[in-house]
Amino acid sequence: MGKIYAYVIENNIYLNLTNRCPNRCVFCIRENKKGVGYDLWLDQEPTANEVLAAAGDVTPYQEVVFCGYGEPLLRWEVVVEVARELKKRYGAKIRINTNGLAEAVLGSKILPELEGLVDTISISLNAASSGEYHRLCRSDLGPEAFDKMLEFTRNSKLYIPRVILSVVKIPGFDPEPARKIAEQLGVEFRIRPYQTE
Ligand code: SF4
């Protein structure tokens, strides 16, 4: 357990706001030993000022990515405060990696708050049907989680310029049906590598 609120991978800086998540995905990097190479388990969730202090000057980085361990939009107020400051101070490009379930979990509209602050949102699609999603992601929201995530994706297009749906390339998974969903929704599609160690 520690206090890593910001970490660098290649050209991007990643911000770690929370370890909370409504899902328990079978491929989650939290479940393997290697993770992302940092101990991202938090003693306590950081304030916006603590995140800004950890990030420092983000000018050298291509993107600032709100990521995890955990679902960053469960702390959307901190996302908004940090993103606003980083845009104002450094003109940062902001991305959020999300499971798209925070609005459903919190019962509030988050997306309008992100308008003008977030450049890219990458939403974990993970499956091409509700049943497959439930089997892989084991969400606290139950079988409804898939539709909630798709609704969040549709609405994201209203507020965020670049919307991506992603899947993890786990063995035996055919990404084509998921790609079709992304096409139907008019968003980008990305396949993420599967980490097993
Ligand atoms: S949604 Fe993301 S953080 Fe949550 S369990 Fe799945 S992969 Fe892990």
Side-chain angles (χ1 to χ4, degrees), residues 21 23-25 28 30 70 99:
C21 181
N23 288 2
R24 285 181 305 114
C25 302
C28 183
R30 309 193 300 181
N99 59 30

Side-chain angles (χ1 to χ4, degrees), residues 13 15 17 47-53 55-56 58 63-67 72-73 75-96 110-120 160:
I13 184 164
L15 305 181
L17 304 189
T47 63
N49 282 338
E50 286 173 325
V51 177
L52 287 165
V58 300
E63 281 183 304
V64 175
V65 186
F66 290 88
C67 191
L73 288 177
R75 302 198 68 211
W76 65 268
E77 292 102 327
V78 174
V79 171
V80 165
E81 203 176 331
V82 171
R84 183 172 290 128
E85 271 311 303
L86 293 179
K87 272 229 175 285
K88 193 167 80 187
R89 291 183 198 174
Y90 309 110
K93 286 266 179 227
I94 306 285
R95 166 160 54 107
I96 298 179
I110 296 169
L111 284 165
E113 310 293 336
L114 307 180
E115 189 169 23
L117 298 177
V118 175
D119 301 283
T120 303
I160 297 175

Side-chain angles (χ1 to χ4, degrees), residues 19-31 67-71 98-99 101 124 126 133 136-137 168 192:
N19 293 153
R20 288 179 287 142
C21 181
N23 288 2
R24 285 181 305 114
C25 302
V26 296
F27 47 75
C28 183
I29 54 167
R30 309 193 300 181
E31 307 296 333
C67 191
Y69 290 4
E71 171 45 49
T98 176
N99 59 30
L101 297 175
S124 301
N126 291 336
Y133 185 91
L136 291 174
C137 298
V168 176
R192 308 186 334 258

Side-chain angles (χ1 to χ4, degrees), residues 147-158:
D147 286 341
K148 298 283 184 195
M149 175 270 299
L150 291 180
E151 184 186 340
F152 182 85
T153 303
R154 268 181 226 105
N155 292 336
S156 290
K157 292 171 62 186
L158 304 175

Side-chain angles (χ1 to χ4, degrees), residues 13 18 32 51 53 67-68 79 98 100 124-125 128 130 134 139 164 170 187:
I13 184 164
T18 182
N32 69 45
V51 177
C67 191
V79 171
T98 176
S124 301
L125 173 62
S130 166
H134 194 51
S139 181
I164 301 167
I170 54 176
V187 302

